[in-house]
Amino acid sequence: MLAFDRVSKVYDTFASGSRYALRDVTFATSMGRTIAIVGRSGSGKSTLLHLAAGIDVPTTGSVGLFGRPLERESETARTRLRRDAVGLVFQFFYLLPHLSLHDNVALPALIAGERGAAVDARIRQLLARVGLEDRARDPVQHLSGGEMQRVAIARALLRRPRLLLADEPTGNLDDANGRAVMDLLLALVAEEGTTLLYVTHSREFAALADETWEIHSGVLDTG
Amino acid sequence: MIRYLVRVVAANLRRAPSLYLLTIVGVALGVASVLTVQILNQSALAAFTGSVQAVSGEADLSVLGRTPTLPDSLYPAVLADPDVAGAWALSRTSVTLADRPDYFLDAVGVDFFAPIRIPFVTSRTGGPAVGATLANPAAVLATPGWTAVSPELATELDLAVGDTFTVTSGVRRARLKVGALVDFRRLTPLAGTRLIVLDLAQAQALLGEPGRIHQIDVRAVAGTELDALAGRLRETLGPGVDVLSPEQRTQRAEGLLAAFRLNLTALSLISVFVGLFLVYSATQASLVRRRAEFGLLRSLGATPRQVFAVIAVEVALLGALGVALGLPLGYWAARVNVEVVSATLTNLYLLDAIERLYVPRALFALAAAIGIGGAVAGALLPALDMSRRDTKTLLAAFTLHERLGSAALPLAGSGAALLAATGLWYVVGGHDWRGAGFVLAIALLAALPLGTPLLVQRLAALVRITDFGWRYSLRSLGVRLQTTAFAIAALGIAVSMLVGITLMIGSFRRTLEVWVNSSLRADVYITTPSWRGRSTEATLDSALAAALAALPGVRAVDRLRGFPGYTGERRIALAGVEMGIPYDDSHLPLLAGERTSALAAVHERGAVLISEPLARKTGLGLGDSLPLSVPTGERRFVVAGVYYDYSSEGGTVILSLPTLNAAFGAGPVNSIALYLAPGADAEATVDAIRARYPDTPLLLRSNRTLRAEVFTIFEQTFAITRMLQGMALLIAVTGITLTLLVLAHERLSELALYRALGAGTRQVFGIFVAEGIGMGALGLVLGGAGGMLLAAILILVINRAYFGWTIQVSVPLAALAWQAASLLAAAVAASLYPAFRASRTTAAELARDDV
């Protein structure tokens, strides 16, 4: 499903020259697994997710997604692949303040040009699943942090992605909300049969995954 | 601080040159609009002043006729006054070159024995002045057609001393001989180059009328009280004269041009107003980019006031650069338009043509004040907004600040209240004031931007998002009102101006078409080339007029004699008409009075018809009596009707030819109009007359040609207006580009999110282009409504107050549709660059701080 083969990512920085964000990372995931990646700030977690989502390409090595080497795909092809098969959850939720809950969740379908009763039904289903069906037309600005992340999860799952990438999904939440969100996220990917790769600082939340990998200074330890 | 500013400006100029450039362009276009209009206004006055100073620069007073000419017998009476140190009579005749009928010269007849200094020069390049007077005036008198011409004219016509050239005055041709060069610019830099000087007696004999002069210039004894002398001369010379100082003559010209100048100035100020919005957008664009920089300054201890000062000084610097660009641009635009404005001056106001541009230094100060002041004023709101934001917000990567959203309703309410209050004021009593129309227009243009946020907010809210395309874009416009509403308001104002003026010009044109169809009924119009220069001496001789009337195929003839006159202190055009067709056949359109009986009163009982502008300005109507200055004093004429007339804003009066001759003395006619028998061809008749009188300077026009000329003059009159419209629109459309650039930057995280969720570059590009079109469309909606109201104010209030014309409202649908399509196309073009920039946003922008 997702495979990194000796992937390195180097950034050229003005202050200190070249810097490795990832160094010789190799791993492979299989369908329906949940994997947590733990590491400190700046260890390369987000870079890994960007490469996995096709947002960026490796400096060396190969990233295979559903059998397609992303570094050989055009930017447009990678975008389409991400749109159709990958869901993203962010630490800061990235909900659009001018849209309602419903429209925020609908955004991936709008971008993909999907519309109609089936989409609406799916949105209602997901909002019900995250416990916000009564507030579908509310503006997102009035939601709590935990509620916002639940909306973001619903958005990520709208188009039934085969791979869900979550970047510190609980990083901006208190412990209780963080736990609730993690439980929901894991339950939903289990229901949907989606592979989940998430990065976190929290050992406790990492332990909820099928596998826990560690990353230090760009080097991944899949243990 | 200055070093910091210079470095910041230089760094940002390298980083985002387009934003700075657009600010500079916005200021430059605003400055150029004002400067163009002011240069043309000043040049129009300078042309008149230059003519006065060149000919009468040494005079303390000028005796001028309130009738076309004065008898030269008045001259001894002037000299007889003990306070008159010297006086000299002058004749002024507008003549044309025989081989270039559209090239006018101002022939001045002077007495070379009089104590007048004429700046003769020895060569085309100037050379030393020969002296105050000619060495041998008697020799001049002995040379038939002796004429002094300016070095510039000699160069242009390739003339040297001793050469001859032929001019026409009416149907007369006069062969003039260049006897000397005269450079009036030695006396005044404003002097025109087309002044030629002849001996007075020769000028009268060759070009004018023996025994008749146009003015007497007077030099007073030192220490004389000029007002007292003027009053005494007025009393001595009788009621047919005015005695004025050169300053008073210039003031009269200023009065004549006041409405024309005021309207152009108002239009140019609209461009500045629109320019303020552009500066707002540009400043906002620049500040949004630099939010983090200001956050850093604040976190390092800079106060809001210091941040504000940094921004204000920076914008003032950009304003100064805009002024530097606007000055040559304004001058260039004035040069491009000088010909058409000059034509308007001569056609509508009977004033001197503008030969060259006059740019007083004060205009540069005005341009600088408008440019720099306007830039700072335009930047005020974004600068205050940025300086007052808290440090945390400034340093945040993604913010949505929408104070304008909650203020939309109160703002719209205050706009509506402003309109209601102004409307009430106008209805209750304001309509009595001449400038009331401008107050209404200003209130309208102020209310439009106040209502824009609510309009955008409400319309955007109506849109239901069903796709990631048009609907999504339109909905987005309502979200960032602080950015989008300003651009839409600026566009709305520019479109209001465009629509308002297009409606006004379209209505005026349609009205003129109807009027021309009614007024120009003859088949062939015959006059002389110098009549176009409004020369009183541009006459047809009686025998020729009779011969033309007797041509085969001519069934009737109208004869017209015209010259300027006065009613009270108002300068008007008088027309003595002898009608060749029955009153019933006339189609003269009357505003008041019944046509047949009115014409009968004019032709049988000595009554007059007055034009609509004159009726509005004097308050005279049917049955009132109109006072006219005649050589013997003042005579009153009963007003038998008020006719629609669009040939002069000063006012015109129609009398019967016998009435005119009886009041002012007999004289030849200036033009005749031929009515041909059914089946006769007008163009063939014109050709036949031309062939029959090959050496007679005649200006022959068929009905069709004359109509075409009328509309050429019409288009000339509004050419400058169209240019100002264009400038305002250009500024507004540039505002769309700026606004979208602001949005592209403000929404960086949002765009990155779209990309992360799978939106392609084309989709983001499309979203931005759609937003540009959305802004264009909303600007059209707003401007369409505003333009209709503005047109109503222009047509029904301002036009009537200043020009006195009735304009029938007509909607030029084709022109408006074309403009709407062009505007939307311009909006698309304006969106392309920002859309391209936005489409290059990558999903990685979402988390670049984490990298």
Side-chain angles (χ1 to χ4, degrees):
Chain A
M1 158 158 280
L2 174 66
F4 275 43
D5 180 17
R6 300 178 64 82
V7 168
S8 292
K9 182 68 186 176
V10 181
Y11 290 108
D12 291 322
T13 61
F14 181 74
S16 53
S18 298
R19 184 172 72 83
Y20 275 88
L22 287 180
R23 192 188 291 268
D24 273 339
V25 173
T26 299
F27 68 83
T29 63
S30 45
M31 280 290 287
R33 301 283 294 172
T34 57
I35 299 152
I37 302 174
V38 290
R40 292 181 186 165
S41 290
S43 59
K45 304 188 297 290
S46 297
T47 303
L48 189 148
L49 287 191
H50 280 186
L51 293 175
I55 288 171
D56 209 345
V57 288
T59 309
T60 58
S62 176
V63 177
L65 185 61
F66 311 121
R68 291 165 65 177
L70 292 184
E71 68 280 358
R72 291 191 203 158
E73 300 286 346
S74 68
E75 208 274 336
T76 305
R78 283 186 275 124
T79 301
R80 286 200 180 131
L81 190 59
R82 182 166 67 245
R83 182 187 73 186
D84 296 335
V86 180
L88 293 168
V89 176
F90 308 96
Q91 179 181 354
F92 296 104
F93 328 131
Y94 293 136
L95 299 179
L96 296 178
H98 55 279
L99 299 182
S100 64
L101 269 71
H102 176 279
D103 289 344
N104 265 288
V105 175
L107 201 52
L110 293 174
I111 288 171
E114 291 174 353
R115 64 173 89 179
V119 173
D120 280 342
R122 172 74 173 157
I123 293 169
R124 277 198 303 276
Q125 177 213 345
L126 283 168
L127 283 177
R129 188 65 187 82
V130 300
L132 293 167
E133 70 272 32
D134 297 337
R135 303 176 66 180
R137 296 292 163 193
D138 285 359
V140 292
Q141 286 151 303
H142 299 156
L143 300 179
S144 68
E147 288 169 331
M148 283 193 187
Q149 195 59 298
R150 282 191 271 155
V151 175
I153 291 169
R155 178 179 67 191
L157 291 172
L158 179 73
R159 301 192 68 235
R160 297 188 171 84
R162 285 179 279 169
L163 175 65
L164 186 65
L165 301 170
D167 188 358
E168 299 276 10
T170 59
N172 217 25
L173 303 174
D174 59 36
D175 287 347
N177 271 308
R179 179 69 200 214
V181 163
M182 266 325 294
D183 288 344
L184 180 65
L185 182 62
L186 291 168
L188 280 168
V189 295
E191 289 166 21
E192 303 268 332
T194 306
T195 303
L196 171 66
L197 187 68
Y198 65 99
V199 298
T200 179
H201 282 96
S202 166
R203 295 274 172 193
E204 180 195 348
F205 295 152
L208 298 173
D210 297 333
E211 294 176 47
T212 300
W213 300 342
E214 292 201 14
I215 188 165
H216 299 285
S217 302
V219 178
L220 184 71
D221 177 6
T222 57
Chain B
M1 181 62 97
I2 290 171
R3 188 175 295 176
Y4 173 78
L5 269 174
V6 171
R7 283 184 181 174
V8 162
V9 170
N12 282 300
L13 198 55
R14 280 194 298 274
R15 203 165 58 129
S18 55
L19 286 181
Y20 275 15
L21 201 62
L22 285 170
T23 306
I24 293 167
V25 166
V27 173
L29 285 173
V31 166
S33 294
V34 172
L35 197 67
T36 303
V37 165
Q38 292 308 319
I39 287 176
L40 291 171
N41 279 345
Q42 294 293 330
S43 300
L45 288 179
F48 181 80
T49 309
S51 168
V52 170
Q53 286 178 356
V55 178
S56 307
E58 296 187 339
D60 297 311
L61 295 169
S62 291
V63 176
L64 299 159
R66 293 172 71 80
T67 52
T69 56
L70 299 167
D72 54 13
S73 57
L74 294 181
Y75 180 52
V78 173
L79 275 178
D81 191 288
D83 284 338
V84 172
W88 51 97
L90 297 167
S91 73
R92 303 286 298 269
T93 313
S94 182
V95 298
T96 65
L97 289 176
D99 52 355
R100 288 170 68 180
D102 56 346
Y103 196 101
F104 291 89
L105 300 173
D106 185 2
V108 184
V110 299
D111 178 0
F112 289 121
F113 291 99
I116 178 173
R117 192 162 62 97
I118 299 173
F120 293 110
V121 291
T122 52
S123 70
R124 277 189 195 177
T125 50
V130 170
T133 54
L134 285 175
N136 185 7
V140 169
L141 301 186
T143 309
W146 188 98
T147 304
V149 302
S150 70
E152 290 86 352
L153 187 67
T155 303
E156 190 178 348
L157 302 182
D158 196 23
L159 292 171
V161 171
D163 289 349
T164 60
F165 63 105
T166 304
V167 297
T168 70
S169 173
V171 287
R172 285 180 291 179
R173 298 166 72 95
R175 194 175 174 80
L176 304 180
K177 182 172 187 178
V178 179
L181 298 177
V182 59
D183 189 359
F184 282 105
R185 292 190 184 174
R186 297 281 177 108
L187 300 180
T188 169
L190 301 178
T193 58
R194 295 191 183 183
L195 278 176
I196 61 173
V197 181
L198 295 85
D199 167 61
L200 176 61
Q202 289 205 40
Q204 287 173 319
L206 293 170
L207 311 171
E209 191 181 351
R212 306 297 297 185
I213 56 176
H214 293 89
Q215 74 187 63
I216 302 168
D217 280 354
V218 176
R219 191 182 301 135
V221 171
T224 299
E225 178 61 51
L226 289 179
D227 285 346
L229 174 60
R232 213 163 48 244
L233 286 174
R234 223 173 274 128
E235 208 167 286
T236 309
L237 302 174
V241 304
D242 270 331
V243 183
L244 301 171
S245 66
E247 293 75 26
Q248 286 171 318
R249 292 176 66 189
T250 303
Q251 279 166 10
R252 277 197 174 181
E254 282 177 1
L256 278 176
L257 279 179
F260 179 75
R261 294 168 59 205
L262 180 65
N263 279 280
L264 284 188
T265 303
L267 282 177
S268 68
L269 288 177
I270 291 180
S271 294
V272 174
F273 192 44
V274 174
L276 291 186
F277 285 88
L278 183 64
V279 173
Y280 171 93
S281 300
T283 308
Q284 198 186 31
S286 169
L287 297 186
V288 163
R289 278 173 173 270
R290 295 162 53 193
R291 202 174 51 206
E293 174 194 332
F294 295 117
L296 184 66
L297 287 177
R298 290 294 306 281
S299 67
L300 293 176
T303 63
R305 188 174 291 186
Q306 283 175 309
V307 170
F308 178 80
V310 166
I311 300 168
V313 172
E314 193 180 310
V315 171
L317 276 175
L318 294 179
L321 288 173
V323 170
L325 184 65
L327 289 176
L329 188 65
Y331 185 80
W332 172 80
R335 276 192 66 166
V336 168
N337 285 281
V338 66
E339 204 170 310
V340 290
V341 170
S342 182
T344 303
L345 293 179
T346 51
N347 287 323
L348 285 186
Y349 299 95
L350 313 184
L351 286 172
D352 298 75
I354 303 172
E355 267 192 47
R356 64 177 188 283
L357 296 179
Y358 170 58
V359 190
R361 284 183 187 169
L363 279 191
F364 292 111
L366 177 74
I370 285 175
I372 298 171
V376 173
L380 198 62
L381 280 177
L384 280 173
D385 178 53
M386 189 57 75
S387 64
R388 286 174 181 171
R389 284 200 212 176
D390 62 77
T391 310
K392 185 182 156 199
T393 312
L394 288 169
L395 288 170
F398 180 70
T399 56
L400 176 66
H401 52 96
E402 266 316 306
R403 273 174 293 178
L404 197 56
S406 53
L409 191 60
L411 280 175
S414 55
L418 175 68
L419 272 186
T422 315
L424 189 66
W425 164 81
Y426 180 78
V427 171
V428 169
H431 59 271
D432 291 333
W433 181 51
R434 201 183 184 203
F438 286 104
V439 176
L440 290 177
I442 289 168
L444 173 66
L445 295 179
L448 273 181
L450 290 172
T452 306
L454 188 70
L455 175 83
V456 178
Q457 194 181 50
R458 292 291 158 90
L459 284 179
L462 288 178
V463 178
R464 198 164 159 260
I465 300 174
T466 56
D467 57 28
F468 192 65
W470 288 97
R471 289 169 175 275
Y472 195 86
S473 300
L474 292 176
R475 182 71 176 271
S476 299
L477 288 179
V479 176
R480 293 179 185 273
L481 285 176
Q482 207 143 325
T483 306
T484 55
F486 273 84
I488 293 168
L491 193 62
I493 290 170
V495 172
S496 295
M497 184 172 152
L498 183 74
V499 170
I501 291 173
T502 301
L503 277 170
M504 194 263 285
I505 294 177
S507 300
F508 200 171
R509 194 185 167 93
R510 181 70 197 125
T511 305
L512 200 63
E513 278 170 9
V514 173
W515 177 71
V516 163
N517 284 340
S518 302
S519 304
L520 299 184
R521 305 293 293 186
D523 298 297
V524 177
Y525 292 83
I526 303 168
T527 184
T528 57
S530 58
W531 176 240
R532 275 183 167 165
R534 307 288 167 171
S535 170
T536 313
E537 286 74 18
T539 54
L540 293 165
D541 70 48
S542 306
L544 177 67
L548 290 168
L551 285 172
V554 175
R555 69 177 169 90
V557 177
D558 282 347
R559 292 177 172 80
L560 182 141
R561 182 186 174 205
F563 45 77
Y566 281 88
T567 174
E569 294 308 309
R570 189 178 298 280
R571 191 170 185 239
I572 54 172
L574 299 173
V577 177
E578 184 183 276
M579 283 178 64
I581 55 171
Y583 305 146
D584 289 345
D585 288 356
S586 167
H587 287 73
L588 184 70
L590 290 190
L591 177 67
E594 192 278 316
R595 190 183 302 127
T596 306
S597 58
L599 288 172
V602 168
H603 289 279
E604 293 161 20
R605 297 191 291 280
V608 297
L609 302 176
I610 62 173
S611 69
E612 184 193 9
L614 186 60
R616 286 194 191 280
K617 286 169 184 170
T618 57
L620 292 175
L622 220 53
D624 292 336
S625 76
L626 173 79
L628 287 180
S629 293
V630 297
T632 52
E634 186 178 274
R635 266 189 64 182
R636 291 187 162 269
F637 298 84
V638 174
V639 176
V642 179
Y643 61 99
Y644 291 105
D645 178 75
Y646 303 93
S647 64
S648 158
E649 73 155 271
T652 55
V653 175
I654 293 176
L655 308 85
S656 76
L657 189 55
T659 307
L660 185 84
N661 286 340
F664 292 88
V669 296
N670 300 99
S671 65
I672 62 174
L674 307 181
Y675 294 86
L676 302 181
D681 179 46
E683 301 296 345
T685 306
V686 165
D687 292 341
I689 296 171
R690 207 167 271 143
R692 190 160 176 170
Y693 300 98
D695 298 324
T696 307
L698 291 176
L699 182 60
L700 297 158
R701 285 169 293 187
S702 67
N703 186 301
R704 191 166 55 93
T705 313
L706 186 57
R707 282 175 195 227
E709 261 185 39
V710 167
F711 287 102
T712 302
I713 291 172
F714 179 82
E715 293 302 331
Q716 280 175 342
T717 307
F718 287 104
I720 179 84
T721 311
R722 293 189 196 280
M723 187 205 72
L724 290 172
Q725 271 183 323
M727 278 196 176
L729 261 186
L730 185 62
I731 294 172
V733 170
T734 312
I736 292 182
T737 302
L738 271 172
T739 301
L740 291 174
L741 282 174
V742 173
L743 291 177
H745 204 84
E746 268 190 349
R747 294 163 61 186
L748 194 65
S749 301
E750 185 182 326
L751 298 175
L753 176 68
Y754 296 147
R755 300 282 285 122
L757 295 179
T761 52
R762 282 187 188 177
Q763 281 179 299
V764 175
F765 185 88
I767 288 281
F768 264 69
V769 172
E771 285 186 13
I773 295 172
M775 279 196 274
L778 284 169
L780 268 179
V781 170
L782 197 70
M788 282 185 219
L789 288 172
L790 190 64
I793 294 170
L794 285 170
I795 293 171
L796 302 175
V797 186
I798 293 178
N799 158 63
R800 286 198 180 165
Y802 285 89
F803 299 99
W805 291 318
T806 290
I807 297 176
Q808 305 294 340
V809 177
S810 160
V811 182
L813 282 175
L816 289 174
W818 170 247
Q819 286 171 355
S822 306
L823 189 82
L824 288 177
V828 171
S831 317
L832 293 179
Y833 174 64
F836 172 70
R837 292 277 298 265
S839 69
R840 287 169 65 196
T841 306
T842 65
E845 296 282 350
L846 261 187
R848 60 181 171 163
D849 295 339
D850 299 338
V851 173

